[in-house]
Structure formats: structure tokens, C-alpha cells
Amino acid sequence: MGTVRATLALLLLATLYVASLVLFPVEEVTVEGLRHLKRDEVLARTGILPGEPWLWLTARRLNPLLQDPWVASARMEKPGPGQVRLLLRERTPFLPLPGGDALAEDGTLLPGGAPLARGPRVEGKGPLPVQDLLALARAYPGAQRLRYTPAGFWVELPQARIFAPNVRLLLEYAQSARPEGQVYVYSWGVSVRP
């Protein structure tokens, strides 16, 4: 009796699946919010293509897309039978890094994003201090270059070069002065050279 019910349930599901392919296939897929990614690439990753069964599409199809560092969020809508709309929000490159990558404003590493980044160039030695660099770029919006070394951090502005052994001192200094020349910020004071 149980085997008969299971077989009937499977036949019903198979019939519904085939009927959904015939009666409600995906006819139109629109993708909104693209800036860096390409439409065909998005559709290939999600597998949402014309001819797919519209009734069976779920948000799980977006999981491979959400693994891409360029994708901040993705949502699928079904505005009508056969219609699918993918709404993406891509991350924006902010700080260009050596080697061609960039940091997004949320700290995500974006491969190949350096040419699109609008922030100051980043140079340095050692592990990348992501949050420190993002804080410096926000505190010094006119910065042209940010450098980090084991000795400390440099912020290069059009009219000044500022050094401090740690980011906290640079952030405090950004709120209190309009620097010019060579500026060295330490916990015990500030040294300025023209």
C-alpha cells in the first residue's frame, strides 16, 4: 500500500514538473543592477534560462551568485507567469590595491577592481590592514595615497604628507587640523616640517 502511494506521488510530481515545462516555462529573464558583471554570466551561474520550469524556481538558485565577491545582494522576483526578474546590488571598488585588485567600501576584496576604484592608491608591506585603510580613506577624503609599513601609516594629500605609528593617531589628527608640509603625529605631540 505504501509503495503504491509513493509511486503515485512520484508520478504526480513528474507530471507536474513536465506540465510546468510545457505550460509555464521561463520566457523572459531580466537582470537589473549590473555594473561590472555581465548578464550572460549571471544567468549561467544561476541556471535561470528561458525554458526552465518557472513554477519550480526558488531563491536557492542565487546561492552561486552570492559567492561572487562583486555581488553584495541578489533577489529574485516572479512578476508574472514565465517572467523572472533578478535584482542585484554590486559592490563598488573603493581603494585600488597593488596587483589590480581593490577593496570595496565594506572591506571585501574585489578581483580586478583597481581601475574602477575612486579612492587613494594603497601601497604597503605586510598583511593588508583592511579596516584601518578604510577608516583612513574616509577620514582623509582628499588623500591621493595611503601607505602602511611595520613602522606606521602615511597619508599623502596634495598639500601634505602625514605619518603616525598607528591609525588611531591619524584619525584623531584628521578631526583637528588642516595639515601642510611633512607632519609627524605621535602620542606626545605633532612635528611639522615645511
Side-chain angles (χ1 to χ4, degrees):
M1 186 72 161
T3 307
V4 172
R5 284 186 184 171
T7 305
L8 288 175
L10 284 174
L11 283 172
L12 179 63
L13 284 174
T15 304
L16 285 174
Y17 180 78
V18 171
S20 70
L21 284 173
V22 174
L23 298 175
F24 297 110
V26 171
E27 295 172 4
E28 178 186 356
V29 181
T30 58
V31 183
E32 298 176 11
L34 293 177
R35 289 185 296 175
H36 174 76
L37 298 174
K38 305 291 183 241
R39 180 182 186 277
D40 292 340
E41 180 183 350
V42 169
L43 296 180
R45 283 188 189 172
T46 60
I48 301 173
L49 301 167
E52 290 287 319
W54 179 81
L55 289 173
W56 303 97
L57 291 180
T58 64
R60 284 193 320 216
R61 292 282 192 107
L62 301 177
N63 288 343
L65 192 59
L66 292 170
Q67 302 304 313
D68 189 316
W70 283 88
V71 178
S73 67
R75 194 174 81 229
M76 178 174 59
E77 294 178 351
K78 296 176 168 180
Q83 298 176 338
V84 177
R85 182 182 307 134
L86 301 178
L87 305 166
L88 302 180
R89 186 173 57 83
E90 291 188 20
R91 290 184 172 91
T92 304
F94 181 46
L95 296 177
L97 302 173
D101 296 339
L103 286 178
E105 292 183 3
D106 66 357
T108 303
L109 185 67
L110 300 176
L116 304 172
R118 68 189 191 300
R121 277 189 346 237
V122 173
E123 297 173 1
K125 292 183 171 42
L128 187 67
V130 173
Q131 295 307 318
D132 291 338
L133 293 170
L134 291 170
L136 287 175
R138 289 183 190 113
Y140 293 92
Q144 296 174 329
R145 185 166 64 154
L146 302 174
R147 289 189 309 141
Y148 62 96
T149 67
F153 292 83
W154 290 91
V155 175
E156 294 184 19
L157 300 162
Q159 71 279 7
R161 289 182 64 198
I162 311 164
F163 169 82
N166 63 57
V167 171
R168 182 185 53 79
L169 293 171
L170 284 171
L171 295 176
E172 289 172 5
Y173 187 74
Q175 297 172 4
S176 64
R178 268 186 72 112
E180 289 189 17
Q182 294 271 18
V183 180
Y184 298 88
V185 182
Y186 298 100
S187 57
W188 61 85
V190 176
S191 172
V192 179
R193 284 193 272 162

